[in-house]
Every structure is written in C-alpha cells, then in structure tokens.
Amino acid sequence: MQCSYFDAGRCRSCTLMGQDYGSQLADKQAHCRDVLADFPMAWSDPVRSSESGFRNKAKMVVGGTVAAPTLGILDRAGHGVDLSDCGLYPANLAATFAPLAAFITRAGLEPYDVPGRHGQLKYVIVTASPDGELMVRFVVRTVEVLRHIRAQLPWLREQLPTLAVVSANIHPEHKAVLEGAQEIILTAQESLPMLVNGYGLHLRPRSFFQTNTAVAAALYRQATQWLAEIAPESVWDLYCGVGGFALHAAGPGRSVTGVETSAEAIASARRSAAEAGLTEVEFVVGDAGEFAFGSADSTRDVPDLVIVNPPRRGIGSELAGWLESSGVRSVLYSSCRAESLARDLAAMPSLRPRRARLLDMFPQTDHYEVLIELRRD
C-alpha cells in the first residue's frame, strides 16, 4: 500500500507503510512464534487482511477552525492534520468525512485547541456496519453544544442517508484519553447492527468491537471450528464484550455464559441472543476474575471450556492461577499482545498450548491478533 501522507511525513501512524504485505505478515508470524517459543504448538497459516480499506471505524481528531475544520490527527505542535483521504478506510466510511466537516461548520462547533485549552469538539468517531449503516459520535467538552448538534442533525441525515445512530460523548477534561464517562444518544436508534457470520451484533456507542470486520469474522469462525472439535457441554466467555465469541459458541445442548464489566455491552449481547433465538446463552455484568473466583463459593459448576479475549495487558496472574487450578479442560485464548500472552501461559503450565493461528487485524502496523487453543494435561 502506498500513502501520500506517509510519504510526505504528515502521518507516521502506520509504521510498516510501504513494506511488502507478504513480508509484513511473515514478520508478524515470526515475531509471535519467537515470543511464544517456550510453548510448542502447531501453527496454521495466518489469516490475511485486505491491505487497505479494512477499517470499520474512524477515530478522527478535530482540528483547524469552525470555518475550515480538519479531521485526522494533530501534529507535534497540536495543530490539525487532515487525513480525509486515508487509504485505511473503505469508500462508504471515507465518504462521510466531507459532510461531517461541513456539519461542524454549520453547527458552529469550535474544534478543541489542545495547546490553548479552549474550544468544544475534540473527536468525531464514525463506525460503518457491513450493511453500510453508520454510527457517528461527537466527543465534546460540555452539554451546552448539544442544541447546536440537534439543530443540524436533520441536515446531516439528508447528507448521510444511512446514518442510524448519533451520540455525543461529554469529555470536559484536558486529558489524552479518547472519551469521557457520559454518553448522550441523540437518535431513536441506539445501536448499530454489525452482521458477522449471520449474527447481528448490536454495537452501542461505547462498546468495543474489532476494527477489521472481515478478520473478526474469520476469528470467530476459527474459534467455532475448534469448539466443534472439542465439543464442550458448557462454556464461559470471560471478556465477552457485545457477545461475539459467546454467540458463536452456542450449540444444541451447550450452555454458554458471557461475562463483561460493561452493562451497555451486556444489554447488546442479550438482545443479539434473543434475536437469534439462543435460549441457552446468558450474559452477566461483572468482572471476569470475580465471576471465576466466585464459582468456588457458589453452586456454579466450572465449565468445560473458557474463552478469554482480554485487553493488551492479558488476563493477569490471578485469573491465570484460577484457570490453572480450576479443572477447566480447555481454554481458547485470543490475544492482541504476544508478550502478555506468554506471561499468562507460563502461569498455566497444566494447560498446554495445542495449536495457534495469527490473524492480521491491523495491516501496515506490527499489531495482530492470535488465537490459541489450550488443553489440560
């Protein structure tokens, strides 16, 4: 992939830009296998991605002025760099940027000036579903600007006919974080359906979802294939998010429980399960570790198989220790960081890695996802 922004030095977010994609993929596989060298296992061929146009979400920093806003990133001085022609976004997502810039001007939303610490609009976050529907989030400092956003929403919906969900996130603090705690939905529809392998995953504004829909679908298919071979009667998905793994794990006579700290994500997962008619799948709001540890003090049976898909820090020593001593027969571990995965595997010596597959969620960078199956000795 060639990128004029990278060539001009305006954006260096894609650290592998310009490198042959086959070489990128081989290097990622080699890195992952090297980090996990102490854990012999069978490796399948990696899952490839499209080199460009693969992202379903654009997190655009708003810079410039009301009259001439930029959507992209900030340079080292804190000034806006417009990346509206970034090749990572598919055509339907890229087509939203010009109308959104015009909307900012019409609504009089002053871009937040980071060096000066004044202004209102910090980010515009756009997500596109596989069916082409859109969700737009405006990250602003105060609720006072909502009346301006609401006043111009009819115009924006005319420009973007597939716009389904609009929200405002209130982020008043001067911090290098994406969003604040308060989310205000401005449309009747509150979630964006993401159709993945036939399941409608309902994505609400603050819910996490993989940014590469095609590779996420491949990840779920691989997990489903391994689950069919293992044939567990009971499954826990301990970082279930909006329910992707848990819904794919469902099957006749199999009980599935998804656990997630976000009540918003659990509400979405329950809706997806109900729409799919999956009566043996339940979702619980709670911490993954606390849920697992609580099984020792309740009538809850330890499952045959546990799925974990933690953030980059991994599952940590306590949950890894519980899995080691729990009697759980199998684990499917989906990781986005091989280093934390290696630490967790070392804490579970009785659960032997059996097979693995790397999935390239993030071409042009050194990031990836890896799925590993572990079986107890």
Side-chain angles (χ1 to χ4, degrees):
M1 177 179 169
Q2 186 274 337
C3 174
S4 59
Y5 297 120
F6 186 89
D7 294 343
R10 299 182 67 196
C11 177
R12 293 293 173 138
S13 300
C14 295
T15 54
L16 304 183
M17 184 62 67
Q19 295 186 24
D20 173 73
Y21 182 60
S23 298
Q24 289 185 33
L25 203 57
D27 289 346
K28 291 182 186 186
Q29 180 95 327
H31 172 265
C32 191
R33 295 185 68 161
D34 182 60
V35 172
L36 301 175
D38 291 339
F39 309 98
M41 66 190 98
W43 286 83
S44 300
D45 291 338
V47 173
R48 302 173 66 93
S49 170
S50 297
E51 294 184 48
S52 61
F54 59 84
R55 291 188 64 95
N56 58 35
K57 178 183 288 187
K59 302 175 182 178
M60 309 297 272
V61 182
V62 182
T65 64
V66 174
T70 61
L71 299 178
I73 59 174
L74 300 179
D75 63 18
R76 292 183 178 180
H79 301 134
V81 177
D82 193 84
L83 300 179
S84 295
D85 293 325
C86 174
L88 299 185
Y89 304 117
N92 65 330
L93 197 53
T96 68
F97 300 149
L100 285 167
F103 176 84
I104 292 168
T105 302
R106 290 178 65 94
L109 302 176
E110 182 184 2
Y112 183 62
D113 182 276
V114 173
R117 299 194 179 193
H118 64 81
Q120 275 286 352
L121 183 59
K122 295 184 174 184
Y123 300 92
V124 172
I125 305 169
V126 192
T127 304
S129 77
D131 294 331
E133 287 192 306
L134 299 168
M135 176 164 63
V136 173
R137 302 175 65 203
F138 297 98
V139 181
V140 297
R141 290 183 67 200
T142 67
V143 297
E144 280 72 25
V145 298
L146 297 192
R147 60 189 179 92
H148 301 294
I149 295 175
R150 286 191 173 102
Q152 295 299 325
L153 267 187
W155 179 88
L156 185 61
R157 301 192 84 158
E158 288 180 359
Q159 306 305 306
L160 302 174
T162 60
L163 182 58
V165 183
V166 179
S167 70
N169 179 271
I170 312 304
H171 182 11
E173 298 176 285
H174 183 79
K175 288 184 177 180
V177 294
L178 182 66
E179 59 188 32
Q182 184 181 10
E183 193 86 22
I184 301 172
I185 297 178
L186 305 176
T187 50
Q189 186 169 325
E190 298 185 351
S191 64
L192 185 69
M194 304 288 287
L195 188 64
V196 180
N197 298 328
Y199 293 102
L201 305 179
H202 288 275
L203 186 63
R204 294 174 63 90
R206 290 172 58 84
S207 298
F208 169 79
F209 188 76
Q210 298 282 7
T211 58
N212 190 325
T213 307
V215 178
L219 173 65
Y220 295 140
R221 289 195 300 271
Q222 182 64 81
T224 302
Q225 179 185 329
W226 289 353
L227 274 162
E229 296 173 13
I230 299 167
E233 293 184 1
S234 56
V235 174
W236 288 357
D237 179 3
L238 292 185
Y239 297 84
C240 72
V242 296
F245 279 110
L247 295 171
H248 283 78
R254 178 183 298 157
S255 66
V256 179
T257 301
V259 183
E260 169 62 47
T261 57
S262 169
E264 186 175 88
I266 289 296
S268 297
R270 287 170 177 165
R271 179 178 175 183
S272 297
E275 290 178 352
L278 301 175
T279 59
E280 295 189 44
V281 179
E282 67 169 340
F283 291 97
V284 178
V285 178
D287 176 78
E290 292 177 1
F291 182 86
F293 306 148
S295 64
D297 303 319
S298 70
T299 59
R300 188 190 307 134
D301 292 331
V302 173
D304 297 327
L305 182 144
V306 171
I307 301 169
V308 290
N309 181 25
R312 289 179 60 80
R313 64 178 179 272
I315 62 175
S317 59
E318 290 187 357
L319 183 53
W322 179 87
L323 285 167
E324 168 67 13
S325 62
S326 66
V328 168
R329 292 191 293 109
S330 302
V331 174
L332 295 186
Y333 194 135
S334 181
S335 170
C336 60
R337 187 167 183 265
E339 289 77 8
S340 58
L341 172 60
R343 289 196 299 269
D344 291 338
L345 293 181
M348 302 183 288
S350 296
L351 287 160
R352 301 275 186 173
R354 182 169 178 265
R355 49 187 169 179
R357 192 168 197 186
L358 183 142
L359 302 101
D360 192 15
M361 290 279 185
F362 313 101
Q364 319 309 331
T365 77
D366 56 7
H367 299 294
Y368 52 78
E369 194 85 10
V370 61
L371 182 67
I372 291 183
E373 179 205 338
L374 298 92
R375 298 248 190 131
R376 188 170 298 279
D377 279 349

